[in-house]
Each structure stands twice: as C-alpha cells, then as structure tokens.
Amino acid sequence: DSPGFQRTEVPRPPGGKDLHAYPWDRSSLKSMPVDLQQFEKLDAYALQVDVKNSVEELVKALLKQARTDLEKVRAIWMWICHHIEYDVVGYHNKSQLSCKPIDVLQAGKSICEGYAGLFEQMCSIAGIQCLKLSGYSKGYGYKMGQTFTGDSDHAWNAVYLDGRWHLLDSTWGSGSVDDAFTKFTFRYNEFYFLTHPALFINNHFPDNSNWQLLKPTLTLKDFESNMLHSSNFYMLGLLGAHPETGVIHTVNGKASVSVDCRSATLFMFKLKESEEHGLMTLKKHGMKLDIYPQKTGSHKLQIFAKPSKGSEELYSCVLEYRVECSSVDKAMHFPKELSQPVGPSWFTERHGFLRPSHPDPIIHTNDGRCSVTFTLGKDISVLASLHCDHSSLAEDMGRRHIMQIHRGNQIELKIHLPHAGNFVLKIYAKKKSDPGNYDYVFNYLITCLNTEVKWPAFPQSYSKWAEDYEILEPLSGSLPANRNVQFKLKMHGVAKVLVQAEDTYPLTLSRGCWEGTCNTSGCREVFVMVHENANHSFYSHVLKYEVETQ
C-alpha cells in the first residue's frame, strides 16, 4: 500500500443501531443529518479533479479537501456520479466487460457492478468501511406488479459512517438511460446519496435481507407488490400515496388515487396517455383523483407533479399504476371541455376566488338551475361560459346561460341549463386594471339527469350594463308574444329607463328598482334602454330580449 493510506478492518455486520423503522416516518430523506450547502465547495472541488492513471492517485487528490469521513465519502460519490457513465453497449455484451476498478476508471464507463466496485475500493483506500451489495431493483425495464426470480440484477454500496451503516447507489446517482436502452444521459440525482432505508427499499431489494437496514424487514412479495415511487416523488416533498400497491382494480367502474404532500403542489395525470376519464381535485396537502376508464382491460395511469411556485418548471412523473378495469360506468363520461383539476382549491384562492359556495368539483342540479357564489379578491373581473358535448351551445350562447350578479365583493353566477346532461362551467378572470385578455382559472362539472329541463338563455346584455346591475324579472331572454310582461331591474345612477317594443314603455323607480310593464305585440325584439343623464337626449341600449314567434 502507498504510505499514508490505511486499509480498514473487517466490516461488522449490520444490526441494532443501524436499523430504521418501516414504514417511513416522513422525517428526512436521508439516513443521517446532511447539510448540502456545507458541501458546495467540496462538491465543486471534487468535480474538477482529473486523475485517470490510478485509483490511489485519484483518492489522494480528492481527499485534499476532505476532513471528516462523511466529506471523504461525499467527494468520492460526487466524482463517480459525474465522471463514470453507464455503459449501455457493455450491458448488452457483459462477457467483453471488465468491472475492475482500474479498468472502470480508465474507460470512464461501466455497469452497476463497476460503479459499486470502484466506490468500494476508493472508500477502502480512504480508510472508510464500505461494502458492495447486490440484489433486485425496480430500474430499467421494470414492469408494474412483476415478480423477481433468478440472479440479482443490480449492485450498490453500504458505507459505515458515525458508527452506523448507510446506503447509496452511485449508478442511479449519475443519470439515466433512455427507454430503448441505447443512450445514457448524465443527470445527477441527490436522492441516492445516503438514502433513508425505508425509502431505499422502494426500489432496492438486497440478496441478504439484513442489508435492508429495516425493522421489520420486507419480504420479496411485499417488495413486488409495493407501489414504485420515483425519486422525484420524494424530492418534490410528496409524502405518500394511496393505494400503496402498484396494481388497482376498479370497483363499479371507478378507481381512486390520492397523494399527500408537505406544501401546495400542482398535479396532472394521464390514463393511457390522455387526460380524459378522470376527475382530479387539488387539496391543500395533496390531491385526489377518481378515474372511470371507458374500456375494460388493463390501463397505465401516470401521475405527474411540480411545485406550485415554479411556474416555469416541467411536470415530473412521480407515480405509475396499472388499473385493471372489469366494468365501465358509462354515466361517468365527462365532456371533452373538462380541464383538470376540477373544482375550487388553494390554486383558485390564489387567483382571488374565496369562500366558494360549492367546494366540491361536481354540482348536481335536478331542475336545471344552480347558483355558485364566491367572495372576490380586489380588482377582479370575471368571465364564465358553459360547454357540453354535441350541443348547440356556441361560444356566445354558452355565456348567455350564465348570469353574473355582483353585490359588494360577492359574485353570484346563476346558471340555467338548456337541457339535461353533463356541462362544464369554465371560469376566467383578469385584473380590471389590465387591458389584456381573460385567463382561464378553473372549471366545475355540472350534471343534470332530468330530461324535462329546457331553460332559455338569459337576455343579452351590452357594455353599458354595469356589473352591479341586477335583473329581477324577466330572467328569460325569450318573451312570450302578445303579452304584458312585468319588468323589474335593479340599476343605480341612471336618470330614466325605457323598454322599447312596438311602443316605448317608461319604467318607474321604486325602492331602488325600476319597474313597469311592456306589451310584446307586433315586435320580434325588446330592448331596455337607459338615459344616463336627464339633460341629454341620448339613450344607451343595456339589454335585449327576443320575442317568441307565434
């Protein structure tokens, strides 16, 4: 041995104080306290060390900046994760491949066996106890719910620090291979450095169960049936998912998944690559998803997440399930326009929609009418529209079946459905002070099974109809022919109000409402007009009603 390097004594087997409780106690992602900021200088130093002629020389160079055993292990880990790439060609042709540490170092590439062997030797030179472990892994090519038989397929390491054993996987710390297993990409993953054993077991099952470092240990059957969480799952601060098994069976055509997390997180899902046939709601500490596959058989369900702060960030896949569907619930066929997530949440609150009258994503109505209220944040202007599949609801008509009523900072959306069915109520908003377009905020699903329902649209309003005006009657935009129709409108700040049919009928102001009647004979349209200032002769149109043909 080169002078100055001591070989380590025989490692002691794991037991007692090495063991962690299972399931995970949600305390930390690592098996010992690690302050990553304190490693910044050391990490940067280790990355630029460039020694390829001997393992001893490499370790000597790395240890120049490392004082403690933890720092030594960190420097070795960082160097391997950033300098050794996965050998996809060697993987397919193992007979030609040497996993000897010096060969791995000089080639700059290897398979898991080579990563773990180099790690073990470098630690040994640095005087740190380290072992190479082997076992089954849920890595490349893993299929949900599969069983594991035969020889182990992966290798990783255990290191002895501060009187306890800890686990790490430098192969998975270094990056990933593509689906075709033809290309490796360096993508450093902090998760696999001193991973908490209750999380490591999620995708590493050692040949010798003592090296799970868990109490109680898991059986291979547990390992096979447990849900696979990607490292993104934990790195995004997610805590758990239900169900905990990778394969879910529908009950009466429905399957449900929920995720718990520490802080507000945005989610999306894909069932067989599309975002249909599901109803996802965001919760303060997670999300809930009900899916209703519209075909029997086996379906892949993926769940994606991203932090709510990082609007620029992409969604990462955090969970994958296999859904076995034995029967289809045709009634739960959602309109194409439905966007995920559905219903109000912390996200809509952030956009100024507070205290919703309907906290749930689905609004059921029996008579085809419903009303949704919110307290609005300051300076918010709202636009709402109604959509459904195969219906005559053109964009403008979709708006005409909703009436906005403002009372102080409260907004009420009154909805009259044109017929039975499933509808999407889409809600958009913008700052009143913003000249720009409205931004989509969220949507509800409105369902009505009553086939008798047939509500006409509300009257058409013009730009002079102020947002805090209110129609008390007639609410229907379609008036009967040859009838006297009673008008009652809540409007302020106007001098005169006229209803123009064949003749013109003035309304009178009584207790804050303009009231009167008009006769619909001999006309096809009726307009409500206001005179804003008694000194002007100019009238503005504010409402338009259609008159039914005989």
Side-chain angles (χ1 to χ4, degrees), residues 9 89 104 169 180 190 262 267 340 345 422-423 449 514:
E9 69 276 21
V89 177
V104 172
D169 183 342
E190 178 61 49
R262 288 184 203 281
F267 291 90
Q340 307 292 341
S345 64
N422 287 342
F423 291 81
L449 297 171
W514 292 87

Side-chain angles (χ1 to χ4, degrees), residues 269-533:
F269 73 91
K270 279 188 178 166
L271 182 65
K272 277 209 164 161
E273 300 303 319
S274 93
E275 230 187 332
E276 291 174 58
H277 313 311
L279 197 70
M280 185 176 80
T281 50
L282 290 181
K283 306 275 179 232
K284 196 168 179 184
H285 293 294
M287 73 89 165
K288 184 172 188 315
L289 169 64
D290 292 331
I291 55 163
Y292 302 87
Q294 294 296 301
K295 283 194 181 123
T296 55
S298 192
H299 304 262
K300 179 162 93 168
L301 170 65
Q302 290 168 298
I303 304 213
F304 302 83
K306 72 172 185 177
S308 69
K309 303 275 187 295
S311 52
E312 298 311 303
E313 291 189 49
L314 296 172
Y315 280 92
S316 322
C317 184
V318 290
L319 287 174
E320 207 171 285
Y321 287 97
R322 193 173 85 224
V323 179
E324 295 293 348
C325 177
S326 48
S327 68
V328 170
D329 183 351
K330 286 286 183 212
M332 295 311 270
H333 181 77
F334 300 126
K336 286 194 174 45
E337 287 282 347
L338 189 68
S339 299
Q340 307 292 341
V342 187
S345 64
W346 57 264
F347 179 78
T348 52
E349 249 176 47
R350 229 177 244 188
H351 284 79
F353 290 82
L354 313 170
R355 292 190 273 289
S357 56
H358 293 69
D360 293 330
I362 306 184
I363 299 172
H364 300 278
T365 162
N366 192 34
D367 69 356
R369 295 183 296 184
C370 59
S371 151
V372 186
T373 60
F374 301 94
T375 302
L376 278 187
K378 283 194 177 56
D379 185 37
I380 293 176
S381 177
V382 176
L383 186 72
S385 57
L386 199 63
H387 306 259
C388 82
D389 291 349
H390 355 278
S391 112
S392 53
L393 274 185
E395 182 74 21
D396 56 332
M397 280 317 280
R399 291 211 197 104
R400 292 268 312 276
H401 280 270
I402 303 167
M403 186 161 71
Q404 285 192 33
I405 303 160
H406 291 256
R407 301 183 187 94
N409 61 354
Q410 281 251 318
I411 180 176
E412 176 186 355
L413 300 175
K414 238 189 222 313
I415 297 131
H416 286 185
L417 299 180
H419 50 74
N422 287 342
F423 291 81
V424 180
L425 169 64
K426 292 206 165 212
I427 298 174
Y428 302 80
K430 74 179 183 77
K431 284 218 174 310
K432 284 179 186 163
S433 48
D434 261 4
N437 293 336
Y438 284 85
D439 289 324
Y440 167 76
V441 183
F442 69 117
N443 55 190
Y444 279 101
L445 178 65
I446 301 178
T447 66
C448 176
L449 297 171
N450 180 354
T451 51
E452 305 290 300
V453 161
K454 195 178 176 191
W455 290 100
F458 292 108
Q460 193 171 342
S461 58
Y462 296 101
S463 58
K464 289 282 185 190
W465 178 261
E467 93 171 359
D468 49 0
Y469 290 177
E470 188 178 338
I471 304 173
L472 298 173
E473 56 180 341
L475 284 178
S476 165
S478 175
L479 304 177
N482 308 321
R483 289 277 173 81
N484 285 330
V485 176
Q486 181 73 26
F487 277 77
K488 190 172 182 183
L489 307 169
K490 222 185 234 179
M491 297 155 80
H492 56 83
V494 293
K496 273 188 188 171
V497 182
L498 300 179
V499 178
Q500 184 195 356
E502 178 81 344
D503 297 321
T504 304
Y505 303 85
L507 302 185
T508 51
L509 183 60
S510 150
R511 294 196 299 279
C513 291
W514 292 87
E515 302 182 48
T517 50
C518 121
N519 189 287
T520 58
S521 309
C523 65
R524 301 289 306 277
E525 294 172 328
V526 171
F527 293 94
V528 177
M529 304 187 301
V530 299
H531 205 123
E532 292 173 56
N533 184 324

